[in-house]
């Protein structure tokens, strides 16, 4: 049986009403806590359908399940300068990005709470994922996006029947417009950045990576980082696996940012404990990670450090090169995902891991979108 769940502010050490999207006291991010620690009964898991729900004993208690299949995504070897790395093909999820893992749990949670209408802000992939799962759940969704987001992503959001509200100006303007609207109309904010259920869903990415290698952790995992949800999902997921005695250690977590918007990179290499908002963000093709700072910035920095990982910044020229290099290896990914190509090259030059190290690069979003 999945465990009971409650919401909690780690900074205030206080319970939080589950209708809040962040702590009303300190404005910090809320976490989801379960009454039982996650377990991974391997024989039971293996006997279940190959989707994210197979880790039932590690998922929060949900009365309803909103699902579009969410398959285990392939882990495919590829070569870079004679080194063999592994691509985790998250772009093959139902809406073409890893965000379906979080959106499936979040939509399940909202439907279980009899929510009929919600709002979300997104530069694209999260909006599309939530729109699809809202459609599946019969939930009315309004999505606030920057007007400059990829036309392909906006078309996808519309296709699922969500109402799109384009907002002119930089990314944070979309959030401001949403908060104003949500407060005025008392509609829940189904935030992929703030809502704790979203990261709970991303944890299944770590569970899958372990299971796909006979319940062992890879040596390192590289992922694009803007808000930090993949990285924190991996961190918390692998922590669950270690706590349960299922894997021996967490992998080195390597955050890859666009050099044009790289606040985490700056904070990490300055030895800071929190992340200052990017001072002069410049336009980048990696639009999905062009965020001024991660929501859970302290935890993200601490996760990278605790794992023995690092933060890498990639130039626009090398993002472009990554799109082509990955494409010529059969991976059709969006520019945001392509940062991992040069991220891998830089990481291999600095990390002392040996030639047979297992390094996973997360390919987060499909190239047909952008
Ligand atoms: Zn608080």
């Amino acid at each position: 049986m999945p465990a009971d769940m409650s919401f909690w502010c780690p900074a205030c050490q206080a319970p939080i009403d589950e209708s809040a999207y962040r702590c009303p006291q300190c404005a910090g991010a809320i976490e989801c806590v379960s009454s039982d620690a996650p377990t991974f009964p391997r024989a039971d898991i293996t006997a279940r359908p190959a989707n994210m729900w197979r880790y039932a004993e590690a998922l929060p208690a949900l009365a309803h399940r909103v699902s579009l299949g969410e398959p285990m995504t392939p882990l495919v070897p590829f070569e870079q300068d004679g080194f063999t790395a592994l691509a985790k093909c998250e772009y093959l999820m139902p809406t073409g990005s890893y965000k379906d893992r979080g959106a499936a749990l979040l939509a399940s949670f909202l439907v279980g709470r009899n929510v009929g209408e919600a709002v979300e802000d997104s530069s694209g992939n999260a909006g599309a994922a939530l729109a699809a799962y809202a459609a599946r759940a019969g939930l009315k969704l309004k999505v606030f996006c920057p007007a400059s987001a990829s036309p392909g992503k906006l078309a996808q959001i519309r296709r699922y029947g969500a109402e799109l509200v384009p907002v002119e100006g930089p990314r944070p303007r979309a959030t401001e417009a949403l908060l104003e609207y949500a407060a005025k109309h008392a509609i829940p904010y189904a935030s992929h950045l703030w809502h704790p259920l979203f990261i709970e869903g991303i944890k299944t990415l770590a569970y899958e990576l372990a299971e796909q290698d006979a319940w062992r952790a890879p040596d390192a995992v590289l992922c694009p980082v803007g808000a930090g949800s993949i990285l924190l999902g991996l961190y918390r997921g692998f922590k669950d696996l270690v706590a349960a005695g299922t894997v021996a250690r967490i992998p080195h977590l390597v955050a890859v940012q666009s050099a044009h918007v790289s606040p985490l990179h700056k904070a990490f290499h300055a030895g800071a404990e929190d992340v200052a908002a990017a001072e002069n963000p410049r336009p980048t093709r990696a639009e999905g990670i062009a965020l001024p700072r991660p929501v859970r910035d302290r935890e993200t920095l601490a996760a990278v450090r605790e794992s023995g990982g690092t933060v890498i910044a990639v130039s626009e020229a090398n993002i472009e090169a990554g799109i082509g290099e990955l494409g010529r290896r059969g991976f059709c990914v969006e520019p945001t995902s392509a940062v991992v190509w040069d991220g891998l090259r830089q990481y291999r030059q600095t990390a002392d891991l040996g030639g047979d190290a297992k390094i996973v690069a997360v390919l987060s979003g499909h190239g047909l979108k952008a």
Side-chain angles (χ1 to χ4, degrees):
M1 276 292 290
D4 284 339
M5 119 181 103
S6 56
F7 289 2
W8 179 258
C9 174
C12 300
Q13 294 281 297
I16 302 291
D17 182 274
E18 63 177 37
S19 63
Y21 78 92
R22 63 178 178 178
C23 175
Q25 294 300 318
C26 71
I30 299 168
E31 305 311 339
C32 169
V33 279
S34 288
S35 56
D36 299 333
T39 59
F40 301 89
R42 298 181 202 183
D44 294 344
I45 289 171
T46 311
R48 293 172 186 153
N51 61 47
M52 64 177 258
W53 306 95
R54 70 207 252 115
Y55 309 106
E57 292 80 1
L59 295 175
L62 293 163
H64 298 270
R65 194 176 278 185
V66 180
S67 175
L68 286 161
E70 304 80 41
M72 289 181 83
T73 59
L75 191 59
V76 181
F78 69 97
E79 297 275 316
Q80 183 186 63
D81 309 327
F83 178 84
T84 302
L86 295 159
K88 180 64 171 159
C89 300
E90 289 290 286
Y91 64 94
L92 297 175
M93 291 296 271
T95 77
S97 91
Y98 77 97
K99 286 184 166 147
D100 292 349
R101 296 179 186 274
L105 276 200
L106 182 46
S108 300
F109 170 80
L110 293 172
V111 166
R113 276 11 181 214
N114 296 313
V115 169
E117 191 175 353
V119 290
E120 154 71 330
D121 56 333
S122 166
S123 60
N125 283 337
L130 275 160
Y133 286 86
R136 190 78 177 163
L139 187 74
K140 194 174 158 193
L141 186 74
K142 202 185 271 277
V143 181
F144 291 71
C145 322
S148 60
S150 300
K153 291 180 183 173
L154 300 185
Q156 189 186 12
I157 293 170
R158 282 197 194 92
R159 182 69 60 88
Y160 295 125
E163 185 186 342
L164 200 60
V165 186
V167 181
E168 295 294 339
R171 173 69 178 78
R173 273 294 303 134
T175 309
E176 290 161 20
L178 171 145
L179 289 173
E180 212 170 283
Y181 180 88
K184 192 173 165 191
H185 301 276
I187 293 175
Y189 179 16
S191 177
H192 70 284
L193 297 177
W194 290 94
H195 204 288
L197 264 292
F198 197 87
I199 291 185
E200 290 300 305
I202 312 299
K203 283 159 66 171
T204 59
L205 173 55
Y207 306 158
E208 258 182 51
L209 282 173
E211 189 184 353
Q212 284 173 315
D213 190 22
W215 298 102
R216 282 178 302 213
D219 293 296
V221 185
L222 287 92
C223 60
V225 170
S229 60
I230 303 182
L231 192 124
L232 280 184
L234 287 168
Y235 173 73
R236 295 186 188 176
F238 278 109
K239 290 280 274 191
D240 288 347
L241 290 158
V242 171
T246 304
V247 306
R249 51 169 179 76
I250 61 173
H252 303 304
L253 299 175
V254 181
V256 190
Q257 298 208 294
S258 156
H260 280 192
V261 190
S262 50
L264 188 77
H265 180 259
K266 189 175 173 190
F268 179 83
H269 293 284
E273 285 183 9
D274 51 18
V275 180
E279 278 165 18
N280 295 306
R282 286 169 287 163
T284 173
R285 286 208 67 191
E287 53 163 14
I289 49 173
L291 263 76
R293 64 194 287 268
V295 165
R296 294 168 174 83
D297 62 322
R298 297 177 76 92
E299 193 193 351
T300 306
L301 275 172
V304 173
R305 290 190 176 119
E306 185 190 324
S307 75
T310 188
V311 184
I312 291 168
V314 174
S315 69
E316 291 301 301
N318 282 329
I319 293 172
E320 195 64 47
I323 297 168
E325 294 287 355
L326 288 165
R328 285 188 288 279
R329 284 160 181 77
F331 304 110
C332 177
V333 299
E334 63 171 311
T336 301
S337 305
V339 298
V340 298
W341 174 264
D342 191 59
L344 175 64
R345 192 185 54 76
Q346 291 189 44
Y347 185 59
R348 287 176 38 241
Q349 285 169 358
T350 53
D352 184 19
L353 290 170
D356 57 354
K358 279 185 186 152
I359 305 182
V360 173
V362 177
L363 302 183
S364 52
H366 207 298
L368 290 178
K369 289 165 174 261

